[in-house]
Amino acid sequence: MNAKVDVNLVVNGVSHSRSVEPRMLLSDFLRHELGLTGTHVGCEHGVCGACTVLLDGRSARSCLTLAVQADGLQIETIEGQGSREQLGRIQTAFRDHHGLQCGFCTPGFVMTIADMLQHHPLENDEQIREALSGNICRCTGYQHIVNAVRELAKERGPLP
Ligand code: FES
Ligand code: FES
């Protein structure tokens, strides 16, 4: 059995220290150690994007990342994007444009979009679809998600 390793992860601005097995996935750490079950797990091998979180501001698959690899990093999850009472702006755009159906994929899309709005040109639908191409929606509601991102990109203005 592997010896446990101490990690400290800052998740949505809150510091968490734990001793974990070196093989523990970040997705399992978030869901089982911290109870942050908004990060969903679909394919578990990096294809569907449901488990996307931000690591130091860039989107990453938490099912392909070990918790020990995230030691000392700033992690953002869907729980940091807003609340039931006060939706964040990406969530608001999804609501306004009917960008979710069953919602299983939605946390991953929201986190991918949080990265895209900071780092990607989103000047037309082709660029938006390309930026979203790493996330799969089994309900195939892509057009509404594209509509939501188009509005967010318009509000964003030019990239820094
Ligand atoms: Fe991580 Fe599908 S669960 S990419
Ligand atoms: Fe159902 Fe995307 S809304 S998988």
Side-chain angles (χ1 to χ4, degrees), residues 57-92:
R58 300 310 301 257
S59 61
R61 306 293 209 220
S62 62
C63 76
L64 294 184
T65 306
L66 297 170
V68 294
Q69 290 176 295
D71 186 30
L73 301 184
Q74 298 278 339
I75 297 151
E76 292 168 61
T77 70
I78 189 66
E79 286 85 355
Q81 289 287 312
S83 64
R84 190 183 294 265
E85 294 71 33
Q86 186 156 22
L87 298 179
R89 66 193 191 99
I90 300 173
Q91 294 163 322
T92 301

Side-chain angles (χ1 to χ4, degrees), residues 99-106 109 136-141 145:
L100 70 162
Q101 295 180 62
C102 79
F104 190 85
C105 65
T106 305
F109 271 100
I136 295 172
C137 173
R138 295 153 188 82
C139 301
T140 67
I145 297 172

